[in-house]
Amino acid sequence: MTDSDNNKIRKITPDGVVTTLAGSSTNTAGSADGTGTEASFNYPDSVAVDATGNMIVTDARNNKIRKITPDGVVTTLAGSSTNTAGSADGTGTAASFSGPAGVAVDAGGNVIVADFSNNKIRKVTPDGVVTTLAGSSTNTAGSADGTGTAASFRGPAGVAVDAGGNVIVADYRSSKIRKIFMP
């Protein structure tokens, strides 16, 4: 689970024992990759787990998507190396996000991200290639249904993937639950 205000990722056992999997031991915000407390986050928002047990974290104020192995090794999957907000598609640090919020992983290992401040839904492949699934090309907020850039969102905060591979979106500021039909 994310411990956003303490900039940590926590693990809770079935017996209720809480430990820190990753994040600064001093609760200090940062964006360092590393193992355990050598790694740092700046307001980690959401977490999802892939089929191999890796945790995928939206590091909201760093504008990054991070991966944590079961052993606590943190790497940056995608997002600007300078933590700068943006909306560029691309690979790894060539891609950018603005306040990534909800996250889910599909059956193919692709990471689906609610890019909150960009009003977009993004896809990150296991190799870190980021593309925009839906949302205005100008990042303009709205609530229009449509395909790709013809659709618009107003602060998408959560995502899930259904059994058919379709993406379900909690469009927060539109007060709507939306569905992106995937081929």
Side-chain angles (χ1 to χ4, degrees):
M1 69 175 273
T2 60
D3 185 354
S4 301
D5 288 328
N6 287 315
N7 301 303
K8 296 181 184 210
I9 306 302
R10 307 282 196 155
K11 182 168 104 175
I12 304 172
T13 68
D15 296 329
V17 177
V18 179
T19 57
T20 298
L21 181 62
S24 167
S25 61
T26 61
N27 304 337
T28 305
S31 65
D33 288 344
T35 302
T37 58
E38 295 170 1
S40 58
F41 300 88
N42 190 352
Y43 203 83
D45 190 277
S46 295
V47 64
V49 180
D50 70 15
T52 60
N54 295 308
M55 297 176 75
I56 308 300
V57 178
T58 54
D59 194 357
R61 293 184 184 150
N62 281 327
N63 301 301
K64 293 181 178 183
I65 310 306
R66 314 284 291 281
K67 180 170 84 170
I68 307 172
T69 68
D71 295 326
V73 178
V74 178
T75 56
T76 299
L77 183 60
S80 168
S81 61
T82 61
N83 307 331
T84 306
S87 63
D89 287 346
T91 302
T93 58
S96 56
F97 299 86
S98 185
V103 64
V105 180
D106 71 14
N110 297 300
V111 176
I112 309 300
V113 178
D115 196 356
F116 186 85
S117 296
N118 281 327
N119 300 301
K120 294 181 178 186
I121 306 303
R122 316 284 291 284
K123 179 174 92 171
V124 185
T125 68
D127 295 327
V129 178
V130 178
T131 56
T132 300
L133 288 178
S136 165
S137 61
T138 60
N139 307 333
T140 305
S143 62
D145 290 341
T147 302
T149 58
S152 59
F153 299 91
R154 186 174 283 124
V159 289
V161 179
D162 70 15
N166 301 301
V167 177
I168 310 303
V169 179
D171 196 1
Y172 177 69
R173 291 189 176 142
S174 289
S175 300
K176 294 180 179 181
I177 303 299
R178 317 272 300 278
K179 185 173 186 175
I180 301 172
F181 293 90
M182 301 299 290

